Each structure stands twice: as structure tokens, then as C-alpha cells.
Amino acid sequence: MRRTPPAMLVALCTAVAAVAVGAPAAAVPMDTLACPSVPATHDPAVTLIVYRVARSYNVNDKVMLSTFEAGWVESHMNNLPCGDKSSLGVFQQRWDYGWGTPEQIMDPVYATQQYVTRAITCDRNNPGYTAGQVAQCVQRSGFPDRYDQVAATARTLLNQAARTHGMAGGSSTDVNGDGRDDVLTFTQNTSADVYASTSTGTGFAGTSVKWNDFFSIGGETASTGDVNGDGRDDIVTFAHGNTGDVYVALSNGSAFTSPGKWHEWFAPGAEIAAVGDVTGDGRDDIVAFTHNATADVYVAVSTGSSFAGTAVKWHDFFSVTGEFPALGDVNGDGRDDIITFTQGPASAADVIVALSTGTSFGAPQKWHDLFAVGAEQPRVGDINGDGRDDIVTFTCNADADVYAATSTGTGFAGTTVKWHDFFCLPGEFPYLADADGDGKDDLVVFTKGTTNDVYVALSTGTTFGASSKWHDYFGLTGEVTL
């Protein structure tokens, strides 16, 4: 079996907690179980959900850190079905103190929303508070100093979650099917709106237009792909968590239609989800990287109206924890392949590829031995227009350099070459897309912050030209931009 179904997970969790306190599961309500101990390590799925939800509220750095401090102190960032008295969940919230029902509190998305909204108010009313004092203001612990004491651990977990969140880089998106890639933003807040700005070839058109008014809430992974093969990219969201649902809203060229569930158990927990055509039939499929010690890769192929049946393992060891997985047709055969950037130091920043056969991914091969070092942000796209996807990395630091290595069909060519010397500063989000429709992917960056601008640098086939502003207010901080 691919995974343990959600209902069984809940039953197992309750039973394990009951055994730990020496009583039958049926005799002890979930909300009165005492935890015999707290796990020593965090649950990566929980940290990722907490980060995504807090980010969707556009919290400042202090509130974000306080969220992770509170989660670590209370549960070591685990969704505990037990606690002191009626305490439950990642933040050990109590239903009898007005935090919600036990079932709500055991939903990490809901629990994080409850924490974050209170923390935002506390920080606004007490601007001089530290992150730990904000956490205490919300949690009202009998040990008020312990939150600030775990700041270093909390920041490490926060940085890990932010990094994993950033690995869902997505792919270029043509929502109206005119051959030019457009830009999307998902608010992922309580309204969960999706806005689009279509390309004119020289800019992204005027005021953003709402294309869907409830899609991809906080904690989910938003992506895009042409899943029904009509030439227009659709929106896809992966719920993760215990449901593993995948929802799709199809593009009609001017809006996204009502979403429907296309798969009910895919990429649960902290798995990294991606969308691409791995079979070469013209319809984009879904891919999940377990991104752990087993490093499995699963696929569910599109039928045009759903993602077929139980997900199938297409590779049993690819892209371990810490690496950056991606999809792209690197050999130009019409099928998307899997790529991983090891992202180590200069001595170990390899790029590994496993080619798609249409029914599985073949043996991994090293295609480059020095690319996307450390915290650089790699992307995959066809920047020279030869039909084979290439690799690009953004330093996104004060230098803001952009390097590229082009595909030969069997490797990424030679020493990395700088294609732009000032694009993507710290805090900005880089992207590749064929914005002018000439068959070559260009550079796109969402500045976020106070300006919320979108800049583009067009590809000449051998370099990226001067950057210019294509939109002056799109993709706010906290939103997911593609």
C-alpha cells in the first residue's frame, strides 16, 4: 500500500496515546489524555504547515519567530493528541478555554491561525515585546521565560521550513493559451483569492483580475499546469496534512472554474509536490518527492478529468532531505524528467537527473558538478529555445547574479556562465517564464516588500537583457506568486 489512509492514521494516533497512559482507547476521550513524554524531534510536516499558515497572514519576523518558539516549547512542533488537562495539538491549546473544539485544535492549520491572529494583536499592542514575550502573551504559560530561551532552535526550524516551502518553485504559466506566460498570485489567507495578470508581450496587463475567489488556503502548496491538455494552464493545490487531497480549477481563458477534487491521497505531510507532463501525452501529471531518507518519487498521471488511481512509485531513491527537487524536459523528448540540486558547498553542489521513460524515471546521472551552491535558488526552463530545459540559479543576495548552464541532451554544458549580473535581491522571488512568447524562457522576479513590483529580463538565447518593470503592484508579501 502506498500510504496509511487518513482514517487509520487518526485511529492509530489515538490508540498509541491511550496505550501510553495505560488505558483502552475507547475509555479515554482524546482531549483528556496526558502525554507521557514529548517527542525529542520535530515533525517536518507540522513545521511546514505552521510556516505556510503564518506566512499567509504576512506576519513580521518577530511574530513568525514567536510562532516557532511557542510550537517548540509546547510540543517540539508535533501535533500531539494529548497534553496537560485539556491541552491538544502543536500549541497545546485548550478547548475549554475558547480555542475551539478538540477536532479543530487538532487541525494544525486551524491551530496556527488561532495562534497567529492573537500574536499579531499582541505584537501590535506591545511593540517593545521580544518574540518570546509575544509567545507568552498568547500562551499565558506558568513559565514565561522559556520561549525566548529556545530562540536559536526555533529559528533553525523556521529557516528549514522556509527553505522547504521555497522548493515548490512551480513552472511557467500560460493561463489564456496565447503562447505568452502570465503571472499568478494566491493570497492563501481566509479569502483564498487567486489573481492573474496576463502578458501583453511587453508587460503584464494593468490591474490584476481575480480569476478565482476561493482556492488554496494557508498550509497548502499552490501550483499550475495544463492538466486537461487544452493549451491553457490550470491551477492545482495540494492539501498535504492527513487528507492528501489534490484540487484542480480549470482555466477557461478568462477565469478558473469551480475547483474539483482530482486525487484524494497524494503528497501528504511534508512531501514536496510538483506538476509536469512526465508521460508526454500533453497533459500535466502530479509528482511527489518524499524528500526523506527513503527519497521515493511517486506519480499520479492525468486522465484529463482526474489524476488516476493510487499513486505509483516511479523512483526509489532521488532527492533526499536538504536537496532541491524539480521537473523539466532536459533531453527534449516531450517528457518531463526529475532533477535534484544537492545544494552543498562548492565541492558538493551537484545536479542529478533521472530521465522519464514514460512509465518510470531511469537511473540517476550527474549532469553538472558545480551549480546552485548553498542557499541559491535554482530554476529549470528552456532559456535558449532549443526544446531542452536548462538550469538557472539566482544568488538573490547583494550581488544578485544569475548563472545558467544549458542542456546538451546528456548534460548541462560546462562551467557555469553568468547570464545577468543584477537580478533578484534578498527577499525577492525569482521565476522563469516565456513572457514575450518567443520560445525562450525569460527572467521574472516578484520584489514583494513595500513595492510589490514585477520585473522581467528577456532572454536573447545567450544572455538575459536589461530588466524592466512589467507590473507595479502584484504579488504581495505572504502571497504565493507563480
Side-chain angles (χ1 to χ4, degrees):
M1 182 179 289
R2 157 84 168 98
R3 301 282 200 280
T4 305
M8 189 176 295
L9 283 175
V10 173
L12 284 172
C13 190
T14 305
V16 167
V19 168
V21 296
V28 184
M30 178 178 66
D31 55 288
T32 61
L33 292 170
C35 290
S37 63
V38 174
T41 58
H42 70 287
D43 181 344
V46 170
T47 59
L48 192 54
I49 289 171
V50 168
Y51 174 79
R52 285 173 173 155
V53 173
R55 184 180 182 276
S56 72
Y57 280 81
N58 194 18
V59 300
N60 61 31
D61 291 344
K62 186 200 301 183
V63 170
M64 180 68 84
L65 180 59
S66 84
T67 307
F68 276 74
E69 289 179 353
W72 177 256
V73 165
E74 302 297 347
S75 68
H76 282 185
M77 297 299 279
N78 289 273
N79 195 31
L80 300 178
C82 51
D84 178 52
K85 301 182 177 67
S86 60
S87 300
L88 291 170
V90 60
F91 298 103
Q92 290 291 280
Q93 295 159 341
R94 295 181 61 175
W95 62 265
D96 53 347
Y97 276 52
W99 286 93
T101 67
E103 291 76 17
Q104 287 176 319
I105 294 169
M106 283 300 296
D107 176 0
V109 173
Y110 173 89
T112 305
Q113 290 171 337
Q114 295 302 303
Y115 177 89
V116 166
T117 53
R118 289 165 170 80
I120 290 171
T121 300
C122 180
D123 177 54
R124 182 174 61 244
N125 294 339
N126 303 278
Y129 273 16
T130 65
Q133 288 171 324
V134 171
Q136 170 61 16
C137 176
V138 176
Q139 299 293 98
R140 300 181 184 278
S141 169
F143 305 93
D145 297 329
R146 58 183 180 164
Y147 300 108
D148 273 326
Q149 291 169 359
V150 302
T153 299
R155 189 167 293 283
T156 297
L157 295 177
L158 164 57
N159 290 339
Q160 290 174 355
R163 182 68 177 156
T164 302
H165 168 80
M167 288 177 183
S171 58
S172 53
T173 303
D174 179 9
V175 296
N176 58 4
D178 66 355
R180 296 187 295 257
D181 286 330
D182 314 302
V183 289
L184 295 181
T185 189
F186 300 78
T187 65
Q188 290 208 312
N189 51 21
T190 53
S191 61
D193 293 326
V194 184
Y195 290 89
S197 185
T198 55
S199 173
T200 65
T202 56
F204 295 119
T207 304
S208 309
V209 178
K210 188 189 293 187
W211 276 46
N212 196 289
D213 60 5
F214 194 78
F215 191 88
S216 192
I217 61 173
E220 299 185 359
T221 294
S223 193
T224 61
D226 181 9
V227 297
N228 63 351
D230 67 353
R232 297 187 293 259
D233 282 328
D234 314 298
I235 50 176
V236 183
T237 191
F238 300 85
H240 301 298
N242 286 336
T243 65
D245 291 332
V246 184
Y247 287 88
V248 168
L250 299 174
S251 171
N252 62 20
S254 58
F256 297 116
T257 59
S258 297
K261 187 190 294 187
W262 277 44
H263 205 287
E264 61 181 8
W265 189 236
F266 194 86
E271 294 187 7
I272 294 177
V275 180
D277 182 8
V278 298
T279 61
D281 66 356
R283 296 188 296 257
D284 281 337
D285 315 298
I286 51 175
V287 179
F289 300 85
T290 64
H291 209 236
N292 53 16
T294 61
D296 294 326
V297 184
Y298 289 89
V299 170
V301 299
S302 173
T303 67
S305 57
S306 69
F307 297 117
T310 304
V312 177
K313 187 189 292 188
W314 276 40
H315 205 291
D316 61 3
F317 193 76
F318 194 88
S319 195
V320 299
T321 304
E323 296 184 4
F324 193 117
L327 295 180
D329 180 11
V330 297
N331 62 351
D333 66 355
R335 298 187 294 258
D336 278 343
D337 313 298
I338 51 175
I339 305 111
T340 190
F341 301 84
T342 64
Q343 296 242 270
S347 59
D350 297 327
V351 185
I352 312 294
V353 168
L355 298 174
S356 172
T357 67
T359 56
S360 67
F361 298 115
Q365 302 171 336
K366 186 189 294 186
W367 277 41
H368 204 290
D369 61 3
L370 179 56
F371 196 88
V373 177
E376 294 181 8
Q377 297 195 48
R379 298 289 186 264
V380 178
D382 182 7
I383 59 175
N384 59 3
D386 65 357
R388 297 187 296 255
D389 280 340
D390 314 300
I391 52 175
V392 175
T393 187
F394 300 81
T395 63
C396 290
N397 56 15
D399 296 327
D401 292 326
V402 182
Y403 292 90
T406 56
S407 173
T408 65
T410 57
F412 296 117
T415 304
T416 308
V417 179
K418 188 188 292 187
W419 276 45
H420 204 290
D421 61 4
F422 196 76
F423 199 88
C424 188
L425 293 167
E428 299 181 347
F429 183 77
Y431 212 57
L432 293 180
D434 183 9
D436 61 351
D438 67 352
K440 298 186 290 283
D441 279 345
D442 313 300
L443 300 182
V444 180
V445 71
F446 302 87
T447 63
K448 310 285 188 174
T450 57
T451 61
N452 303 300
D453 294 326
V454 184
Y455 284 86
V456 171
L458 298 175
S459 173
T460 67
T462 57
T463 187
F464 296 113
S467 60
S468 60
K469 188 189 294 187
W470 277 41
H471 204 292
D472 62 3
Y473 193 76
F474 191 88
L476 310 186
T477 301
E479 297 182 353
V480 171
T481 43
L482 301 173

